[in-house]
């Protein structure tokens, strides 16, 4: 039965799409437990004392049929903090498992996410969920809450990613709860209270690889089949009726979408930070923004996640490998439905081949080249080590490269680049000077050989190389401002991040290397999973 949310001017109708079509947990309480034989448990959000709006995305509201003015009503904060539930609402938390840092972790599940339901129109489904609205049966030994800093980070980044054209879940709002949450930010034995918050996240669906893995691991193959069939009919109807062939095509499509997502990450310099299989969306969306970061000084081994500082499993340059590793785990999970190792292997092998092609064409587009032949590839292979040894800012480099004209003298351009984009000091840059000058000259030679027009190239490069990304310290500044009750910085930054490929002269000052203070500061250069 549908449930309606009546706001002052609008009505949201939630359909219980997930819960009506899949088996649920008969036990109705929030006690932490192992839940077997079920895809979800019904659960109610924990009411909070003083919900207050920090930030909202009217564009996401519009998709749910909300008018802009609805966002600033008292109802809005009550509903999207979890305080106000409709009479027939049946919120739920999903059961899933996952491989964390390479090891099977058993049952995880929505430990601090509560789904309000699905909003359905003739052409779309949007699932709406609250993150940080209290414990669920899946909270294990944690509190089910989220703090303001991590909530702002999730809100800003998921919206920024959307405007960059990267497949992602979105966020409707961040609301502080008025409660204090106990967290040890550095995991160093110095916990403190921090303001709590709830993010309302919106996406067609939040199913993860781990949702399928848990049933395969438990041998609950009938439920695995029900969940997979539900996924197919709801999200992949174009693949046809469920059956062995369709399951293979489904796996191929998940693999294709996952690859597409990772290629976008590599294009814009995004590092997810925790690519565990419970954080991999079956719809190929970037999901669960935790200790993510943006590549500033180019370094393939860079990770923002301090928990991963030793192994660097989820570093920038590892992301395609890990996506493939995760797809192997999904293949294992779907195997009982398919029982054809070769068919699954063929999809995985195809991932590697296609990755090579797509990476090259993506990098060619960033460089403004028509193709990436052997000569060009050799030049790319010279560039990347130069960028990492000079600690060259990823975003500024590619954006500035578009300004170089075929006939421009090389030295002045290098000097400009040196000034704007290098973090490395003279001692590291000087020995590479000749190599840099040669590289720029060879780059121009490729442009001449490929008969590329300067103006046309700049247009094309600017469409794939963002001018503005959510630099790690920008989120930090927004959090500091919001913590003081000043929401101006998030507002200004969000406006900038909505048009990341446009010049936006009024935001030119943000097109700059990150300041020195930010490079070592916790929350800017390093983050823990504490959120
Ligand atoms: P993550 O890697 O942050 O996406 O989370 C891994 C698992 O831990 C998921 O099942 C989350 O729901 C759960 N989790 C993380 N933080 C909390 C929390 N504060 N309370 C309850 N569960 C949590
Ligand atoms: Mg997660």
């Amino acid at each position: 039965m549908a449930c309606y949310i009546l706001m002052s001017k609008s009505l949201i109708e939630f359909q219980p799409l997930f819960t009506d079509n899949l088996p649920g947990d008969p036990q109705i309480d929030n006690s932490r437990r192992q839940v077997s034989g079920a895809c979800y448990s019904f659960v109610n959000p924990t009411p909070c004392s003083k919900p207050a709006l920090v930030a909202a995305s009217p564009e996401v509201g519009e998709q749910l049929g909300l008018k802009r003015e609805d966002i600033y009503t008292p109802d809005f904060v009550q509903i999207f903090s979890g305080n106000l539930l409709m009479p027939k609402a049946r919120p739920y938390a999903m059961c899933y498992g996952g491989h964390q840092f390479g090891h099977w972790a058993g049952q995880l599940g929505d430990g601090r996410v509560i789904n309000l339901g699905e909003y359905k129109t003739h052409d779309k489904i949007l699932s709406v969920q609250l993150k940080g609205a209290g414990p669920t049966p899946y909270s294990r030994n944690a509190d089910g809450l989220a703090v303001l800093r991590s909530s702002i980070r999730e809100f800003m980044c998921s919206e920024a990613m959307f405007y960059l054209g990267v497949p992602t879940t979105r966020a409707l709002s961040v609301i502080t709860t008025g409660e204090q949450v106990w967290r040890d930010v550095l995991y160093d034995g110095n916990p403190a209270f921090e303001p709590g918050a709830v993010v309302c996240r919106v996406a067609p669906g939040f199913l993860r690889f781990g949702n399928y893995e848990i049933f395969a691991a438990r041998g609950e193959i009938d439920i695995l089949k029900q969940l997979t069939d539900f996924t197919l009919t709801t999200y992949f109807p174009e693949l046809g009726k469920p059956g062995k062939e369709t399951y293979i095509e489904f796996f191929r499509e998940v693999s294709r979408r996952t690859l597409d997502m990772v290629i976008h990450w590599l294009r814009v310099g995004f590092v997810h930070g925790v690519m565990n299989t419970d954080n991999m969306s079956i719809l190929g969306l970037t999901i669960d923004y935790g200790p993510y970061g943006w590549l500033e000084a180019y370094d393939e081994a860079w990770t923002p996640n301090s928990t991963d500082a030793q192994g660097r499993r989820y570093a920038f340059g590892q992301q395609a490998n890990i996506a493939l590793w995760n797809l192997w785990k999904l293949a294992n999970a779907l195997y009982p439905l398919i029982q054809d190792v070769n068919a699954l292997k063929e999809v995985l092998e195809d991932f590697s081949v296609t990755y090579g092609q797509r990476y090259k064409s993506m990098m060619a587009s960033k460089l403004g080249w028509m193709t990436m032949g052997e000569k060009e590839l050799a030049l790319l292979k010279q560039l990347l080590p130069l960028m990492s040894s000079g600690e060259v800012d990823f975003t500024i480099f590619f954006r500035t490269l578009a300004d170089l004209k075929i006939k421009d003298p090389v030295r002045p351009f290098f000097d400009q680049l040196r000034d704007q984009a290098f973090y490395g000091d003279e001692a590291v840059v000087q020995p590479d000077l000749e190599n840099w000058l040669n590289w720029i000259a060879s780059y121009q030679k490729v442009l001449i050989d490929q008969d590329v027009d300067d103006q046309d190239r700049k247009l094309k490069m600017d469409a794939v190389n963002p001018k503005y990304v959510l630099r790690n310290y920008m989120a930090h500044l927004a959090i500091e401002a919001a913590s003081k009750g000043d929401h101006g910085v998030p507002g200004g930054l969000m406006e900038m991040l909505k048009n990341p490929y446009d010049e936006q002269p009024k935001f030119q000052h943000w097109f700059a290397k990150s300041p020195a203070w930010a490079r070592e500061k916790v929350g800017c250069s390093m983050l823990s999973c504490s959120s």
Side-chain angles (χ1 to χ4, degrees), residues 217-238:
R218 289 175 167 169
E220 295 177 342
I221 307 306
D222 50 334
I223 302 189
L224 173 69
K225 183 171 180 327
Q226 283 182 61
L227 178 65
T228 310
D229 291 357
F230 167 82
T231 312
L232 281 169
T233 49
T234 310
Y235 297 111
F236 300 87
E238 68 284 1

Side-chain angles (χ1 to χ4, degrees), residues 245 248-249 251-252 255 324 328 331 340-354:
E245 291 308 316
I248 297 170
E249 286 315 304
F251 182 58
R252 194 186 305 283
S255 168
L324 180 58
W328 274 96
D340 181 345
V341 173
N342 288 335
L344 291 166
K345 259 178 132 173
E346 190 258 316
V347 173
L348 293 164
E349 279 157 15
D350 192 46
F351 179 101
S352 302
V353 175
T354 314

